[in-house]
Amino acid sequence: MAASKSSKKGKSEKTKETVAEPKKLSALDAAAKVLAEMKQAMSCKEMVEAMGKKGYWSSPGGKTPTSTLYSALLKEISTKGKESRFKKTDRGRFARA
C-alpha cells in the first residue's frame, strides 16, 4: 500500500528569505515613488538627491546617475507611451503621469 501524503504544507526557504530582506527599488521605481510623494515636477538631479535622502536608491558607483536616470525616464516614456508612469513637463523636468 502506498503511504498517503500529509495535507499540511510547510513554508519554503524562499518565502522566509523574502520576508527577512526587503526588495531594493530600481532607479525608475524609486523615481516614481519620489515624484508621487512630492506631487510636483522635478529635475533628475533633484530626484537622485531625494531618492538618496529617503534611502530608496543610491547609485552603485556610477559617475553620472542623473544622466542615467534621465535616459531611463525618456526611454520609458517613448516605449510605453500613455502607459508610462512619467511625463515630461518641461526641459529636464518630469512628473508622475
Side-chain angles (χ1 to χ4, degrees):
M1 294 225 108
S4 65
K5 291 186 177 181
S6 174
S7 63
K8 294 181 182 178
K9 293 183 180 180
K11 290 187 177 183
S12 69
E13 292 297 320
K14 188 175 182 182
T15 306
K16 290 178 185 176
E17 290 175 15
T18 35
V19 172
E21 187 177 314
K23 183 179 175 188
K24 289 185 177 182
L25 294 176
S26 69
L28 282 176
D29 291 339
K33 192 170 183 177
V34 165
L35 287 172
E37 291 173 357
M38 296 297 199
K39 298 180 179 157
Q40 66 180 14
M42 299 175 74
S43 70
C44 289
K45 184 176 181 180
E46 294 168 335
M47 283 187 267
V48 168
E49 290 172 358
M51 292 185 298
K53 285 180 185 174
K54 293 178 182 266
Y56 298 152
W57 179 85
S58 62
S59 177
K63 294 182 181 179
T64 57
T66 55
S67 297
T68 304
L69 179 61
Y70 184 86
S71 176
L73 290 168
L74 287 180
K75 182 169 177 115
E76 180 169 318
I77 291 169
S78 67
T79 57
K80 292 187 177 181
K82 293 187 180 201
E83 294 179 12
S84 173
R85 297 175 284 178
F86 309 99
K87 63 182 176 182
K88 190 169 181 180
T89 59
D90 199 7
R91 184 176 179 185
R93 300 190 71 76
F94 297 89
R96 188 73 196 240

